[in-house]
């Protein structure tokens, strides 16, 4: 009950946020945080909870974006159909890719996911008849639901916020459900998990497919809020970015991905002032964070809290 | 209940188990003893599907288990513990139990995502069953502890509780008293008896002779991958082959 | 037709021997530490720039630039191990799943850092390399072969032979192999693990850097040149068997040859598709590669 109250309070605060000096630019940035938070939540299921690796999630982000954009533009469907199509397509694709890949472990799994990711990117570039090739798709319609057009920055912000809150609730329910504990069980001891009747392969694949569906939702929002997509934005660099959000926030913590998405988006925007030094500093920060904050911001905070006030009970 | 025949397995040319046969009857406590490297844990791992046997058959309640993966064998009703404790250390005691409780009652994805009333009801029922099992294992007040925060003996008992939570009818214990103090061994002995009294068949590997001799209904003795004896404790005590295998290793109490 | 095919094969083998060096760079860290170094491509890129620096700025002859570049980039690798690998390894050794992910992120961070550092120092444009190889093509049975390709293959194979000799015969090399096989036992035998890890990163960086130097010498140096070669090198390592020295050589040459044949018979557009397809096929059906024994899964 307490946690629901906290959720309501936080959502309330986020609703008020635009009126604390928000302009079109800051609203766009807040929206990006929401979109990336959705993708990072999904990734956290794979990395944080199930202990598996994916270095190709930008591909599912891209597929979500493209499917959604093409459903609305080329098929003339309403936005909600585009969103649903993105979810279904990325879930199925994740399942198909995950089934063979998740037999692999560690470095091998990482490379397999990179390989599939690059194949998706190559397809987007080369299958010009459908994807419009390297130039990408522009003038993607704004999100619209049941006749309501989200045609101002403020409305788009609320739209992203709404979807992100729904995504969070789904993710939260999943984490505290049997699936959540099952994912952690696979991570903590694969041996014991299979002795408890858990099909390791199926469980890992399910976690992967759910996370690719989250990436699909994020992709769909990205396409219709940004209104322009091109294959370039969805390469290995973007996959790594998504991973970094999850790790910086705190793998395997509930709100870590959201904090991580906010931190990474904020860092990347504020480092812009450094011009040419921007990426140099970003790389350096990444190294430093891994050395000094290995559990991520939320994970370290929890650890500190336990040490300070701590006892062995977790609740 | 379980019938193992001509079970064999080698690793890199070395025969770990070389044609072993035995049976376990419903409701009994059967112990498997033998020097280190005798093939006891390998036999366990084959019965529970972790190793694929090179030859032989494992029939559990009329069903051939050879070739099934570990999770299918767990579902069939064989629970196990591990020599080196394998808990889900980042989960609480209750969550550890919860993983096991869903062994034979799958949850639906949609139910979980939407957190439907049926899901919530089920959690209440699971908590009841968890409390019951934890009480039997003497862990009733530890339900909300992180499992890694339990003492050694408690972790072993949690592993047993978790194995029982899969609705196992046959429980395989791999050295349940390894590294325990005499007091903890005493608790473990009582616990194993309690488990058997609820109608569950117990099959254990154990080095502690005092425990083996006092709780086993029958004992299987292994040496160098083969079975050298199988009998009731009083007979095993004076069995010449057993004495020979153990001579200089450990005194048969 | 035959002549152009021959030329394609020779250039394929030359590029393949560079892939082999990159594959070896990956294999060294995977074999010793079970970690992929995602900055391998950027260390390769540094090799090309350092090569230019040594030949143009210091005026060293090319054959001298090879060892100096290897040593200089090795030192970068060692620094990297001490600053961004060891502290993470120490703090998370008991948590292998997390360790893997942290190492991925920190090596990626290092890669970004090196790439952008190179861009700041040398600019984003491609820097031409002074012509170091004899430009007159070799006439082999009437087929003209650019001699630089032969030089590249020679240098790469020679370097691998030297490294092999070092690992097999020297005291340090034996210690490294022992540590790669079983860290605990090696430590008991007196191998200093932290020194072994520094050596591993240093050797890996040096080998990759020579690859970059060789590619730079026949084309250009530019900050983003590492990514493509890293991917190809990794694919080569998987084909031959990740962690195997001979596997790196075989995998590299096979991949280079396969690419050149695709260019010769199909189209250069599909060159990169070959690598990806091979990578995924091997990962799926033979992840242990051609030359490594499949690991028996034990519980």
């Amino acid at each position: 009950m307490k946690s629901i109250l906290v959720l309501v309070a936080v959502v309330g605060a986020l609703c008020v946020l635009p009126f604390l000096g928000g302009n079109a630019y800051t609203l766009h940035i807040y929206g990006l945080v929401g979109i990336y938070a959705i993708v990072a939540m999904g990734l956290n299921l794979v990395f944080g909870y199930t202990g598996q690796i994916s270095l190709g999630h930008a591909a599912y982000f891209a597929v979500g974006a493209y499917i959604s954009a093409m459903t609305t533009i080329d098929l003339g469907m309403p936005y909600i159909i585009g969103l649903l199509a993105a979810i279904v397509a990325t879930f199925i694709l994740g399942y198909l890719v995950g089934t063979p890949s998740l037999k692999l472990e560690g470095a091998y799994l990482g490379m397999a996911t990179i390989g599939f990711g690059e194949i998706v990117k190559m397809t987007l570039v080369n299958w010009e008849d459908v994807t419009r090739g390297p130039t990408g798709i522009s003038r993607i319609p704004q999100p619209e639901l049941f006749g309501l057009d989200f045609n101002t920055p403020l409305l788009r912000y609320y739209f992203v916020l709404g979807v992100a809150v729904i995504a969070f609730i789904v993710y939260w329910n999943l984490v505290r459900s049997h699936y959540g504990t099952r994912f952690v069980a696979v991570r903590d001891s694969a041996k014991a998990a299979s002795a408890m009747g858990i099909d390791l392969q199926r469980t890992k694949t399910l976690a992967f497919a759910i996370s690719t569906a989250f990436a699909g939702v994020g992709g769909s929002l990205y396409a219709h809020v940004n209104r322009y997509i091109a294959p370039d934005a969805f390469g290995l660099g973007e996959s790594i970015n998504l991973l970094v959000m999850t790790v910086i926030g705190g793998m395997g913590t509930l709100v870590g991905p959201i904090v991580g998405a906010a931190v990474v988006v904020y860092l990347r925007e504020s480092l812009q002032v450094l011009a040419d030094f921007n990426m140099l500093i970003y790389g350096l920060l990444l190294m430093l964070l891994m050395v000094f904050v290995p559990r991520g911001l939320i994970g370290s905070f929890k650890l500190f809290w336990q040490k300070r006030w701590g006892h062995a009970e977790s609740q | 209940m379980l019938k193992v025949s001509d079970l064999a397995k080698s690793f890199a040319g070395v025969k770990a188990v070389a044609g072993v046969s035995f049976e376990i009857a419903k409701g009994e406590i059967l112990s498997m003893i033998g020097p280190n490297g005798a093939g006891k844990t390998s036999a366990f791992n084959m019965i529970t599907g972790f190793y694929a046997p090179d030859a032989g058959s494992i029939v559990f309640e009329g069903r051939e288990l050879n070739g099934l993966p570990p999770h299918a064998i767990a579902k069939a009703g064989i629970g196990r513990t591990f020599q080196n404790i394998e808990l889900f250390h980042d989960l609480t005691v209750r969550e550890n139990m919860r993983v096991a409780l869903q062994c034979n009652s799958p949850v639906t994805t949609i139910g979980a995502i939407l957190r439907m009333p049926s899901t919530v009801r089920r959690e209440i029922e699971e908590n009841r069953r968890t409390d019951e099992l934890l009480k039997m294992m003497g862990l009733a007040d530890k339900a909300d502890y992180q499992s890694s925060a339990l003492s050694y003996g408690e972790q072993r008992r949690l592993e047993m509780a978790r194995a029982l939570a899969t609705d196992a009818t046959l429980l395989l214990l791999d050295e349940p008293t390894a590294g325990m103090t005499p007091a903890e061994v005493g608790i473990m002995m009582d616990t194993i008896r309690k488990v058997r009294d609820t109608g569950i068949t117990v099959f254990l590997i154990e080095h502690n002779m005092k425990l083996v001799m006092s709780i086993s209904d029958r004992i299987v003795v292994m040496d160098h991958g083969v079975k050298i004896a199988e009998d009731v404790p009083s007979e095993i005590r004076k069995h010449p082959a057993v004495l020979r295998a153990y001579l200089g290793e450990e005194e048969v109490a | 037709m035959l002549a152009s095919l021959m030329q394609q094969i020779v250039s394929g083998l030359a590029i393949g021997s560079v892939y082999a060096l990159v594959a070896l760079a990956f294999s060294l860290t995977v074999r010793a530490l079970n970690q992929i170094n995602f900055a391998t491509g950027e260390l390769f890129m540094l090799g090309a720039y350092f090569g230019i620096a040594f030949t143009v700025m210091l005026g060293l002859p090319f054959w001298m630039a090879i060892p100096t570049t290897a040593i200089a980039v090795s030192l970068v690798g060692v620094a990297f191990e001490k600053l961004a690998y060891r502290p993470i390894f120490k703090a998370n050794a008991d948590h292998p799943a997390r360790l893997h992910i942290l190492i991925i992120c920190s090596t990626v961070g290092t890669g970004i850092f090196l790439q952008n550092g190179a861009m700041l120092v040398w600019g984003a444009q491609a820097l031409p390399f002074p012509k170091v190889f004899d430009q007159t093509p070799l006439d082999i049975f009437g087929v003209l072969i650019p001699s630089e390709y032969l030089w590249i293959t020679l240098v790469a194979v020679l370097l691998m032979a030297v490294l092999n000799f070092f690992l097999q015969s020297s005291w340090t090399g034996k210690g490294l192999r022992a540590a790669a096989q079983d860290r605990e036992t090696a430590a008991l035998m007196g191998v200093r693990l932290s020194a072994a890890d520094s050596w591993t990163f240093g050797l890996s960086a040096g080998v990759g850097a020579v690859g970059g130097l060789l590619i730079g010498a026949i084309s250009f140096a530019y900050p983003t040149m590492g990514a493509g070669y890293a991917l190809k090198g990794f694919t080569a390592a998987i084909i031959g068997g990740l962690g195997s020295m001979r596997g790196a050589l075989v995998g590299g040459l096979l991949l280079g040859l396969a690419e050149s044949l695709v260019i010769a018979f199909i189209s250069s557009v599909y060159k990169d598709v070959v690598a990806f397809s091979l990578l995924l096929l091997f990962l799926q059906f033979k992840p242990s590669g051609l030359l490594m024994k499949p690991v028996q899964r034990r519980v």
Side-chain angles (χ1 to χ4, degrees):
Chain A
M1 210 57 222
K2 209 176 82 189
S3 40
I4 292 175
L5 287 178
V6 172
L7 178 66
V8 171
V10 170
V11 173
L14 289 174
C15 287
V16 184
L17 185 66
F19 303 104
L20 307 171
N23 54 35
Y25 169 72
T26 51
L27 285 173
H28 178 70
I29 297 302
Y30 295 157
L32 277 185
V33 171
I35 290 168
Y36 283 124
I38 295 172
V39 185
M41 282 185 240
L43 260 184
N44 196 26
L45 294 174
V46 173
F47 279 97
Y49 287 97
T50 319
Q52 305 300 308
I53 291 176
S54 168
L55 301 176
H57 257 55
Y60 308 96
F61 191 50
V63 169
Y66 271 84
I67 293 279
S68 185
M70 292 185 316
T71 309
T72 48
I73 297 175
D74 299 340
L75 303 179
M77 292 284 183
Y79 173 69
I80 184 80
I81 303 294
L83 176 64
L84 291 176
I87 295 174
V88 172
T90 46
F91 183 85
I92 292 174
L93 186 64
Y95 213 95
L96 292 179
V97 170
T99 302
S101 306
L102 286 157
K103 286 184 192 135
L104 303 165
E105 282 174 1
Y108 295 90
L109 174 59
M111 288 315 289
T113 51
I114 289 182
F116 280 112
E118 291 297 308
I119 283 181
V120 167
K121 198 182 152 189
M122 278 187 196
T123 310
L124 294 181
V125 172
N126 292 317
W127 197 12
E128 295 198 14
D129 297 344
V130 175
T131 65
R132 299 156 176 77
T135 49
I137 305 177
S138 46
R139 276 179 296 165
I140 300 167
Q142 288 164 340
E144 143 277 325
L145 273 186
F146 315 117
L148 177 59
D149 258 320
F150 295 88
N151 53 8
T152 69
L154 184 67
L155 285 176
R156 280 200 291 275
Y157 166 77
Y158 281 128
F159 180 72
V160 171
L161 179 63
V163 178
V165 169
I166 295 171
F168 177 77
I169 291 170
V170 168
Y171 157 80
W172 184 27
N173 283 343
L174 207 60
V175 164
R176 58 184 172 152
S177 76
H178 293 77
Y179 285 97
T181 42
R182 214 187 279 185
F183 293 158
V184 177
V186 169
R187 180 194 72 192
D188 278 0
S189 169
K191 250 195 269 184
S194 54
M196 301 297 114
I198 293 176
D199 184 338
L200 297 178
Q201 185 63 29
R202 252 191 73 196
T203 306
K204 289 189 225 172
T205 309
L206 184 69
F208 190 79
I210 293 174
S211 88
T212 55
F214 271 75
V217 174
S220 167
L221 289 179
Y222 181 81
H224 294 265
V225 169
N226 205 43
R227 308 195 60 192
Y228 165 71
I229 50 175
D232 256 0
F234 303 110
L236 178 58
E238 182 72 357
S239 291
I240 299 285
N241 251 334
L242 297 170
L243 161 60
V244 167
M245 291 175 192
T246 317
V247 177
I248 286 184
M251 283 182 284
T253 62
L254 188 68
V255 294
I258 302 166
V259 174
V263 169
V264 170
V265 171
Y266 174 78
L267 266 183
R268 306 209 52 171
E269 288 302 317
S270 56
L271 288 177
Q272 298 288 347
V273 296
L274 297 170
D276 289 347
F277 287 88
N278 157 17
M279 287 305 285
L280 187 80
I281 301 295
Y282 182 68
L284 195 63
L285 272 177
L286 203 50
M287 287 155 67
L288 292 176
L289 282 167
M290 297 310 116
V291 172
F292 294 108
V293 202
R295 287 161 186 270
L297 297 170
I298 296 295
S300 300
F301 177 74
K302 265 169 84 175
L303 196 71
F304 171 78
W305 192 260
Q306 269 170 17
K307 274 196 185 143
R308 184 82 175 67
W309 309 106
H311 39 90
E313 289 172 64
S314 76
Q315 246 94 64
Chain B
M1 177 177 219
L2 182 81
K3 186 171 193 287
V4 173
S5 3
D6 303 318
L7 203 58
K9 176 79 183 171
S10 358
F11 292 106
V14 180
K15 281 185 177 161
V17 179
V20 169
S21 309
F22 59 88
E23 266 182 67
I24 306 174
K26 197 166 177 53
E28 74 171 337
I29 298 180
L30 178 75
S31 296
M32 186 180 254
I33 62 171
N36 283 324
K40 304 179 302 278
T41 298
S42 297
F44 249 46
N45 280 337
M46 284 190 274
I47 294 171
T48 48
F50 284 89
Y51 293 163
D54 296 337
S57 86
I58 304 158
V59 177
F60 178 64
E61 295 189 321
R63 184 173 165 208
E64 176 62 59
L65 297 185
N66 189 351
L68 294 183
H71 61 87
I73 290 172
K75 284 191 161 82
I78 300 182
R80 74 168 288 178
T81 65
F82 295 86
Q83 204 170 46
N84 307 310
I85 301 173
E86 292 278 346
L87 289 173
F88 309 123
H89 47 257
D90 278 355
L91 295 179
T92 63
V93 170
R94 190 180 293 287
E95 286 167 334
N96 264 274
M97 297 295 287
R98 193 181 188 197
V99 173
L101 283 164
Q102 43 91 61
C103 180
N104 271 313
S105 44
V107 262
T108 61
T109 322
I110 299 299
I113 287 173
L114 300 181
R115 211 173 160 70
M116 298 204 284
S118 63
T119 312
V120 178
R121 265 203 307 279
R122 190 187 147 139
E123 279 172 17
I124 294 170
E125 166 58 23
E126 281 178 359
N127 283 336
R128 195 194 55 74
R129 175 84 175 129
T130 296
D131 291 337
E132 190 181 294
L133 283 168
L134 290 181
K135 201 173 155 209
M136 180 160 95
M137 295 291 158
L139 295 169
D141 52 341
K142 307 279 166 139
D144 294 317
Y145 275 55
Q146 186 113 25
S147 62
S148 53
L150 297 183
S151 77
Y152 190 75
E154 287 168 343
Q155 293 198 6
R156 288 240 175 245
R157 295 206 299 281
L158 172 58
E159 250 203 328
M160 272 174 79
R162 199 181 58 177
L164 290 177
T166 63
D167 284 335
T169 50
L170 171 63
L171 183 61
L172 271 62
L173 304 174
D174 196 348
E175 297 196 26
T177 68
M180 281 189 174
T181 62
E184 284 176 325
V185 172
I187 299 175
M188 181 52 79
M189 208 181 321
D190 292 341
T191 315
I192 295 174
R193 282 212 183 91
K194 256 193 271 175
V195 168
R196 194 261 307 266
D197 293 344
T198 61
I200 287 161
T201 312
V202 180
F203 177 27
L204 70 152
I205 294 176
E206 188 48 70
H207 280 304
N208 187 320
M209 285 302 154
K210 199 163 153 254
L211 176 134
V212 168
M213 290 299 164
S214 68
I215 67 170
S216 310
D217 294 311
R218 285 184 313 125
I219 298 173
V220 169
V221 189
M222 297 271 291
D223 191 23
H224 291 103
V226 294
K227 183 176 84 176
I228 57 171
E230 176 179 354
D231 216 324
V232 294
S234 56
E235 292 299 315
I236 288 292
R237 233 184 267 267
K238 33 190 193 197
H239 199 291
V242 180
L243 290 173
R244 223 175 301 123
Y246 270 87
L247 208 64
E249 271 225 27
E250 223 171 320
E251 201 181 321
V252 179
Chain C
M1 177 63 210
L2 186 69
S4 82
L5 181 63
M6 278 295 291
Q7 280 167 3
Q8 281 299 341
I9 288 175
V10 172
S11 77
L13 287 177
I15 303 297
S17 63
V18 172
Y19 292 161
L21 291 180
V22 181
L24 189 56
F26 276 116
S27 276
L28 283 167
T29 57
V30 169
R31 190 179 67 152
L33 309 162
N34 193 24
Q35 302 291 349
I36 300 185
N37 179 359
F38 276 89
T40 301
E42 280 64 41
L43 292 162
F44 170 94
M45 172 272 300
L46 275 193
Y49 277 112
F50 277 36
I52 294 181
F54 286 128
T55 48
V56 178
M57 288 158 65
L58 298 183
L60 291 181
F62 187 64
W63 63 270
M64 284 272 287
I66 296 173
T68 41
T69 300
I71 291 168
V73 180
S74 289
L75 293 178
V76 175
V78 171
F80 164 35
E81 190 271 336
K82 287 196 191 304
L83 297 174
Y85 174 76
R86 191 176 309 165
I88 298 174
F89 176 75
K90 270 193 177 159
N92 302 281
D94 55 339
H95 233 288
R98 183 167 74 210
L99 178 65
H100 252 304
I101 294 162
L102 293 174
I103 295 299
I104 291 174
C105 289
S106 95
T107 56
V108 163
T110 311
I112 296 175
F113 178 78
L114 292 176
Q115 193 184 97
N116 289 278
M119 209 177 290
L120 286 172
V121 176
W122 291 293
Q125 283 86 21
L127 274 192
F129 215 90
K131 286 288 165 239
V132 290
F133 294 118
D134 186 8
Q135 295 299 306
T136 45
L138 251 65
D139 188 332
I140 300 176
F141 307 120
V143 179
L144 294 178
I145 305 286
S147 58
E148 50 193 19
Y149 287 137
L150 297 177
W151 279 112
I152 286 182
T153 317
L154 189 70
V155 171
V157 172
L158 215 61
L159 176 67
M160 294 185 83
V162 169
L163 193 69
N164 191 37
F165 181 76
F166 171 78
L167 286 175
Q168 298 294 332
S169 310
S170 75
W171 198 79
T172 313
K174 283 178 185 164
L176 287 180
R177 287 195 299 142
Q181 220 155 53
D182 183 343
R183 287 175 78 85
E184 276 169 36
T185 314
L188 288 176
M189 279 159 43
V191 176
R192 276 177 51 227
L193 292 179
S194 57
D197 294 351
S198 291
W199 269 99
T200 299
F201 268 83
L203 288 176
S204 161
V207 170
V210 173
L213 175 71
L214 293 173
I215 286 298
I218 57 166
S219 57
F220 302 94
Y222 52 99
T224 53
M225 69 190 283
Y229 282 94
L231 200 79
K232 301 291 175 64
F234 191 88
T235 304
I238 292 285
I239 292 174
L242 192 56
S244 147
M245 186 135 184
R246 276 188 306 154
L249 182 62
V250 170
L253 293 180
L254 278 180
L255 180 60
L257 208 57
E259 282 190 355
S260 64
L261 292 179
V262 167
I263 295 173
F265 289 110
I266 306 172
S267 152
S268 63
V269 176
Y270 293 102
K271 195 183 82 172
D272 293 345
V273 178
V274 175
F276 282 122
S277 317
L278 284 175
L279 176 64
L280 292 177
L281 283 174
F282 268 88
L283 282 173
Q284 197 47 52
F285 297 108
K286 201 155 182 359
S288 59
L290 294 174
L291 295 185
M292 292 270 278
K293 285 202 187 98
V295 194
Q296 202 195 3
R297 198 176 272 269
R298 292 199 69 165
V299 184

